[in-house]
Structure formats: C-alpha cells, structure tokens
Amino acid sequence: PTEVVANCTLPVTEAMSDAARRAGTAAAAAGAGATVISPQAWFCGPQSCPPVVGQFLVYSDNSHMTATYSAALAPLLEQQLPAA
C-alpha cells in the first residue's frame, strides 16, 4: 500500500496546476465580500499532494474529494469561517 500511495502522489505544481483560475476565482469571491479560505494545506505538503492523508483517502476521482475526507475537514473549515 505504501508504494501505491507514493506512486499516486503528485507534485504541488501538477496537482494545483491552474493558479490563474484559482486566483481569479478567489479575487471575484473576495470582491463580492466572501471570505476566501485556501484549503491547499489540507491536501498538500510543501512539495507534494498525496492521495491519502492520515487514515483518509482524499480523492474519489481527479477533481473530487471523498465524502469521508470532506467530513474530516469540516471542523477545520468551521474554524476558518467567520461568525455568522
């Protein structure tokens, strides 16, 4: 299993490949008054983005995270959201 995880780990530059689109989306959201939270640290280390974080499978395909990982991130997201 460790070898499979290593083989499926992507460099940050490949996993987060569309920086211009992300920046444009974040700028539009901030311009509309939304709080922008970057989740990159929840998915990637400084150099790579593994398919497994801790005990959780992260992705269900090339661009969607698993429901289990999403649920595990909920408390982290909640801490970042402004009070309503």
Side-chain angles (χ1 to χ4, degrees):
T2 303
E3 185 178 314
V4 172
V5 170
N7 289 340
C8 294
T9 297
L10 295 175
V12 172
T13 54
E14 187 176 336
M16 306 294 282
S17 61
D18 197 347
R21 183 180 71 161
R22 284 193 319 281
T25 301
T35 299
V36 177
I37 300 167
S38 174
Q40 183 173 339
W42 302 337
F43 293 88
C44 302
Q47 302 296 321
S48 63
C49 302
V52 174
V53 172
Q55 63 185 12
F56 301 105
L57 179 64
V58 177
Y59 302 102
S60 59
D61 61 20
N62 70 338
S63 61
H64 294 91
M65 71 177 139
T66 63
T68 304
Y69 194 60
S70 177
L73 291 180
L76 295 174
L77 180 59
E78 183 178 24
Q79 291 173 5
Q80 298 293 314
L81 294 173

